[in-house]
Amino acid sequence: MSVGNPLDSLGEEVNELVGSFKSQAIFGNLDVAGFTQYSFWFAVAIVLMLVVLFAFKKRQAAGLVPKGVFVNGMEYLVEFVRDDMCKGLLGESWKRHFPFIASIFLVVLANNIVGIIPGCKPGTGTISTTAALALCSFVYFIVCGIKKKGALGYVKSLAPEGVSFPLNALVWLIEVFSTILRLITLAVRLFCNLFAGHVVMGTFAILASLFFEPMIQAFSVATAIQAGASVLWVGILLVIYVVEIMVAAIQAYVFALLSAVYIQIAESDEE
C-alpha cells in the first residue's frame, strides 16, 4: 500500500488554520454589536485576572510576612511594574500613573497567557482588541499632556522652541504624525506578534497530526516511520510553546513600557 506525502495537504490545513482566527459572532453580528469569540475570551481573561488578584490580596492580608510562591510571585510582579515601568520612567508622578500602567500590563498579560492554553484564544488576538487597548493608552497620555501643559501648551510642545518658521511648522507636522503613529504601532505590534506565534504553533501541531494520522488509518512499516517524524514536530512545538509563553510576557511588558514612555514624553517639560 503506497503512502501519500503528508505535506501535500499542509497548505489546505494551514489556510483553514488562518481562517479560524477570523472574528466570528457568537451572537449578534459583526456589523453592529456582535459578541465574538475574542470578546468571550477577553472576558474570561479579565475574570481570571480578577480572581487571581483577589486571591492574592486575601492571602497577603492573612499575614505580615508574605508566604508561599503565589504571594511572593505576585508581589514581585507588582514591584516590577512599580519600580521598572513607573518609578524608573515617570519619577515623582509614578503614583498617579501606576494604576493605569499596572492595569494595562495585567490585562494584556492575562489575555496573552489565556491565549496559549490549548483550546482557548487570546482576547488580544484580533486587531480590533489591540486597537482598543492602544486607544486607551493613546487617550491617556494625551490627556496627561493636556493636564500638565494645557491644551494649547501641549499642542505647541509638539514643536521645539527656538526653531524659526516655516521649519517649526514642518517639525510640528512630523511630531503630530509621530504621535498618531504611536497608536498604530502599539496596536499592530501586539496583534502581529501574537497572530504570528499562534500560526506557527498551529502549523507544527498540524504537521504532527498529518504525519501520525496515516498510521491510525492503516498500520504499516511505512506509516510507522512517518509517525516517528511527528515526534520531531511535537518536540519543536513544545520549544515554540515555551517561547510563546515568554513572548506573551514580553509583549505585555513592551505594551505597558511604551505606554509609560509616551506618558513621560507628554508630561516632559522639555520642548
PDB file of all heavy atoms in Angstrom, residues 224-243:
ATOM      1  N   ALA A 224       4.393   3.761  10.113  1.00  0.00           N
ATOM      2  CA  ALA A 224       5.023   3.840  11.435  1.00  0.00           C
ATOM      3  C   ALA A 224       6.249   4.751  11.381  1.00  0.00           C
ATOM      4  O   ALA A 224       6.511   5.528  12.317  1.00  0.00           O
ATOM      5  CB  ALA A 224       5.415   2.451  11.919  1.00  0.00           C
ATOM      6  N   ILE A 225       7.011   4.668  10.299  1.00  0.00           N
ATOM      7  CA  ILE A 225       8.182   5.542  10.123  1.00  0.00           C
ATOM      8  C   ILE A 225       7.730   7.000  10.013  1.00  0.00           C
ATOM      9  O   ILE A 225       8.331   7.911  10.594  1.00  0.00           O
ATOM     10  CB  ILE A 225       8.989   5.123   8.878  1.00  0.00           C
ATOM     11  CG1 ILE A 225       9.623   3.743   9.103  1.00  0.00           C
ATOM     12  CG2 ILE A 225      10.053   6.160   8.562  1.00  0.00           C
ATOM     13  CD1 ILE A 225      10.300   3.188   7.869  1.00  0.00           C
ATOM     14  N   GLN A 226       6.646   7.229   9.252  1.00  0.00           N
ATOM     15  CA  GLN A 226       6.104   8.582   9.138  1.00  0.00           C
ATOM     16  C   GLN A 226       5.656   9.098  10.501  1.00  0.00           C
ATOM     17  O   GLN A 226       5.886  10.259  10.845  1.00  0.00           O
ATOM     18  CB  GLN A 226       4.913   8.600   8.172  1.00  0.00           C
ATOM     19  CG  GLN A 226       5.298   8.741   6.709  1.00  0.00           C
ATOM     20  CD  GLN A 226       4.096   9.051   5.837  1.00  0.00           C
ATOM     21  OE1 GLN A 226       2.979   9.165   6.311  1.00  0.00           O
ATOM     22  NE2 GLN A 226       4.333   9.200   4.551  1.00  0.00           N
ATOM     23  N   ALA A 227       5.003   8.243  11.272  1.00  0.00           N
ATOM     24  CA  ALA A 227       4.536   8.652  12.595  1.00  0.00           C
ATOM     25  C   ALA A 227       5.708   9.039  13.495  1.00  0.00           C
ATOM     26  O   ALA A 227       5.585   9.928  14.347  1.00  0.00           O
ATOM     27  CB  ALA A 227       3.723   7.523  13.235  1.00  0.00           C
ATOM     28  N   GLY A 228       6.854   8.377  13.283  1.00  0.00           N
ATOM     29  CA  GLY A 228       8.034   8.724  14.065  1.00  0.00           C
ATOM     30  C   GLY A 228       8.475  10.153  13.826  1.00  0.00           C
ATOM     31  O   GLY A 228       9.003  10.813  14.729  1.00  0.00           O
ATOM     32  N   ALA A 229       8.229  10.655  12.594  1.00  0.00           N
ATOM     33  CA  ALA A 229       8.605  12.033  12.287  1.00  0.00           C
ATOM     34  C   ALA A 229       7.772  13.027  13.080  1.00  0.00           C
ATOM     35  O   ALA A 229       8.213  14.158  13.338  1.00  0.00           O
ATOM     36  CB  ALA A 229       8.441  12.293  10.788  1.00  0.00           C
ATOM     37  N   SER A 230       6.557  12.604  13.481  1.00  0.00           N
ATOM     38  CA  SER A 230       5.695  13.525  14.236  1.00  0.00           C
ATOM     39  C   SER A 230       6.300  13.839  15.605  1.00  0.00           C
ATOM     40  O   SER A 230       5.999  14.876  16.197  1.00  0.00           O
ATOM     41  CB  SER A 230       4.290  12.935  14.401  1.00  0.00           C
ATOM     42  OG  SER A 230       4.326  11.786  15.225  1.00  0.00           O
ATOM     43  N   VAL A 231       7.146  12.924  16.104  1.00  0.00           N
ATOM     44  CA  VAL A 231       7.825  13.181  17.377  1.00  0.00           C
ATOM     45  C   VAL A 231       8.690  14.427  17.258  1.00  0.00           C
ATOM     46  O   VAL A 231       8.769  15.259  18.174  1.00  0.00           O
ATOM     47  CB  VAL A 231       8.679  11.968  17.800  1.00  0.00           C
ATOM     48  CG1 VAL A 231       9.459  12.272  19.072  1.00  0.00           C
ATOM     49  CG2 VAL A 231       7.798  10.736  17.992  1.00  0.00           C
ATOM     50  N   LEU A 232       9.342  14.581  16.102  1.00  0.00           N
ATOM     51  CA  LEU A 232      10.173  15.764  15.854  1.00  0.00           C
ATOM     52  C   LEU A 232       9.316  17.026  15.876  1.00  0.00           C
ATOM     53  O   LEU A 232       9.683  18.023  16.506  1.00  0.00           O
ATOM     54  CB  LEU A 232      10.879  15.632  14.505  1.00  0.00           C
ATOM     55  CG  LEU A 232      11.632  16.878  14.006  1.00  0.00           C
ATOM     56  CD1 LEU A 232      12.773  17.231  14.962  1.00  0.00           C
ATOM     57  CD2 LEU A 232      12.161  16.649  12.601  1.00  0.00           C
ATOM     58  N   TRP A 233       8.158  16.968  15.176  1.00  0.00           N
ATOM     59  CA  TRP A 233       7.295  18.149  15.129  1.00  0.00           C
ATOM     60  C   TRP A 233       6.758  18.501  16.516  1.00  0.00           C
ATOM     61  O   TRP A 233       6.647  19.683  16.863  1.00  0.00           O
ATOM     62  CB  TRP A 233       6.129  17.910  14.167  1.00  0.00           C
ATOM     63  CG  TRP A 233       6.538  17.559  12.768  1.00  0.00           C
ATOM     64  CD1 TRP A 233       6.146  16.478  12.039  1.00  0.00           C
ATOM     65  CD2 TRP A 233       7.429  18.291  11.915  1.00  0.00           C
ATOM     66  NE1 TRP A 233       6.737  16.472  10.809  1.00  0.00           N
ATOM     67  CE2 TRP A 233       7.535  17.582  10.703  1.00  0.00           C
ATOM     68  CE3 TRP A 233       8.169  19.465  12.077  1.00  0.00           C
ATOM     69  CZ2 TRP A 233       8.325  18.007   9.642  1.00  0.00           C
ATOM     70  CZ3 TRP A 233       8.964  19.893  11.024  1.00  0.00           C
ATOM     71  CH2 TRP A 233       9.041  19.181   9.837  1.00  0.00           C
ATOM     72  N   VAL A 234       6.408  17.475  17.296  1.00  0.00           N
ATOM     73  CA  VAL A 234       5.922  17.727  18.650  1.00  0.00           C
ATOM     74  C   VAL A 234       7.023  18.348  19.507  1.00  0.00           C
ATOM     75  O   VAL A 234       6.773  19.270  20.301  1.00  0.00           O
ATOM     76  CB  VAL A 234       5.407  16.423  19.308  1.00  0.00           C
ATOM     77  CG1 VAL A 234       5.113  16.640  20.798  1.00  0.00           C
ATOM     78  CG2 VAL A 234       4.159  15.930  18.597  1.00  0.00           C
ATOM     79  N   GLY A 235       8.260  17.862  19.335  1.00  0.00           N
ATOM     80  CA  GLY A 235       9.388  18.431  20.071  1.00  0.00           C
ATOM     81  C   GLY A 235       9.592  19.897  19.748  1.00  0.00           C
ATOM     82  O   GLY A 235       9.791  20.734  20.642  1.00  0.00           O
ATOM     83  N   ILE A 236       9.534  20.225  18.452  1.00  0.00           N
ATOM     84  CA  ILE A 236       9.673  21.616  18.035  1.00  0.00           C
ATOM     85  C   ILE A 236       8.512  22.452  18.565  1.00  0.00           C
ATOM     86  O   ILE A 236       8.686  23.594  19.008  1.00  0.00           O
ATOM     87  CB  ILE A 236       9.742  21.716  16.497  1.00  0.00           C
ATOM     88  CG1 ILE A 236      11.002  21.004  15.981  1.00  0.00           C
ATOM     89  CG2 ILE A 236       9.738  23.174  16.041  1.00  0.00           C
ATOM     90  CD1 ILE A 236      11.101  20.931  14.469  1.00  0.00           C
ATOM     91  N   LEU A 237       7.304  21.859  18.531  1.00  0.00           N
ATOM     92  CA  LEU A 237       6.113  22.556  19.026  1.00  0.00           C
ATOM     93  C   LEU A 237       6.262  22.907  20.503  1.00  0.00           C
ATOM     94  O   LEU A 237       5.892  24.011  20.930  1.00  0.00           O
ATOM     95  CB  LEU A 237       4.876  21.678  18.813  1.00  0.00           C
ATOM     96  CG  LEU A 237       3.540  22.221  19.348  1.00  0.00           C
ATOM     97  CD1 LEU A 237       3.191  23.541  18.680  1.00  0.00           C
ATOM     98  CD2 LEU A 237       2.433  21.210  19.149  1.00  0.00           C
ATOM     99  N   LEU A 238       6.814  21.978  21.290  1.00  0.00           N
ATOM    100  CA  LEU A 238       6.995  22.241  22.724  1.00  0.00           C
ATOM    101  C   LEU A 238       7.988  23.383  22.948  1.00  0.00           C
ATOM    102  O   LEU A 238       7.790  24.214  23.844  1.00  0.00           O
ATOM    103  CB  LEU A 238       7.479  20.975  23.429  1.00  0.00           C
ATOM    104  CG  LEU A 238       6.451  19.838  23.529  1.00  0.00           C
ATOM    105  CD1 LEU A 238       7.090  18.597  24.144  1.00  0.00           C
ATOM    106  CD2 LEU A 238       5.237  20.275  24.349  1.00  0.00           C
ATOM    107  N   VAL A 239       9.043  23.419  22.138  1.00  0.00           N
ATOM    108  CA  VAL A 239      10.023  24.508  22.243  1.00  0.00           C
ATOM    109  C   VAL A 239       9.354  25.843  21.902  1.00  0.00           C
ATOM    110  O   VAL A 239       9.530  26.845  22.609  1.00  0.00           O
ATOM    111  CB  VAL A 239      11.228  24.255  21.309  1.00  0.00           C
ATOM    112  CG1 VAL A 239      12.149  25.478  21.277  1.00  0.00           C
ATOM    113  CG2 VAL A 239      11.998  23.023  21.758  1.00  0.00           C
ATOM    114  N   ILE A 240       8.583  25.843  20.814  1.00  0.00           N
ATOM    115  CA  ILE A 240       7.885  27.061  20.405  1.00  0.00           C
ATOM    116  C   ILE A 240       6.875  27.484  21.472  1.00  0.00           C
ATOM    117  O   ILE A 240       6.684  28.681  21.730  1.00  0.00           O
ATOM    118  CB  ILE A 240       7.179  26.859  19.044  1.00  0.00           C
ATOM    119  CG1 ILE A 240       8.223  26.629  17.951  1.00  0.00           C
ATOM    120  CG2 ILE A 240       6.308  28.061  18.685  1.00  0.00           C
ATOM    121  CD1 ILE A 240       7.624  26.267  16.609  1.00  0.00           C
ATOM    122  N   TYR A 241       6.240  26.503  22.105  1.00  0.00           N
ATOM    123  CA  TYR A 241       5.259  26.794  23.153  1.00  0.00           C
ATOM    124  C   TYR A 241       5.917  27.547  24.312  1.00  0.00           C
ATOM    125  O   TYR A 241       5.362  28.524  24.835  1.00  0.00           O
ATOM    126  CB  TYR A 241       4.645  25.489  23.649  1.00  0.00           C
ATOM    127  CG  TYR A 241       3.378  25.669  24.443  1.00  0.00           C
ATOM    128  CD1 TYR A 241       2.148  25.803  23.804  1.00  0.00           C
ATOM    129  CD2 TYR A 241       3.401  25.712  25.827  1.00  0.00           C
ATOM    130  CE1 TYR A 241       0.980  25.976  24.518  1.00  0.00           C
ATOM    131  CE2 TYR A 241       2.231  25.881  26.556  1.00  0.00           C
ATOM    132  CZ  TYR A 241       1.031  26.011  25.902  1.00  0.00           C
ATOM    133  OH  TYR A 241      -0.117  26.188  26.616  1.00  0.00           O
ATOM    134  N   VAL A 242       7.108  27.090  24.700  1.00  0.00           N
ATOM    135  CA  VAL A 242       7.847  27.768  25.774  1.00  0.00           C
ATOM    136  C   VAL A 242       8.208  29.187  25.336  1.00  0.00           C
ATOM    137  O   VAL A 242       8.094  30.144  26.118  1.00  0.00           O
ATOM    138  CB  VAL A 242       9.123  26.978  26.144  1.00  0.00           C
ATOM    139  CG1 VAL A 242       9.982  27.773  27.123  1.00  0.00           C
ATOM    140  CG2 VAL A 242       8.754  25.631  26.741  1.00  0.00           C
ATOM    141  N   VAL A 243       8.631  29.313  24.089  1.00  0.00           N
ATOM    142  CA  VAL A 243       8.974  30.638  23.561  1.00  0.00           C
ATOM    143  C   VAL A 243       7.743  31.557  23.572  1.00  0.00           C
ATOM    144  O   VAL A 243       7.833  32.742  23.919  1.00  0.00           O
ATOM    145  CB  VAL A 243       9.539  30.531  22.124  1.00  0.00           C
ATOM    146  CG1 VAL A 243       9.699  31.911  21.496  1.00  0.00           C
ATOM    147  CG2 VAL A 243      10.876  29.794  22.135  1.00  0.00           C
TER     148      VAL A 243
END
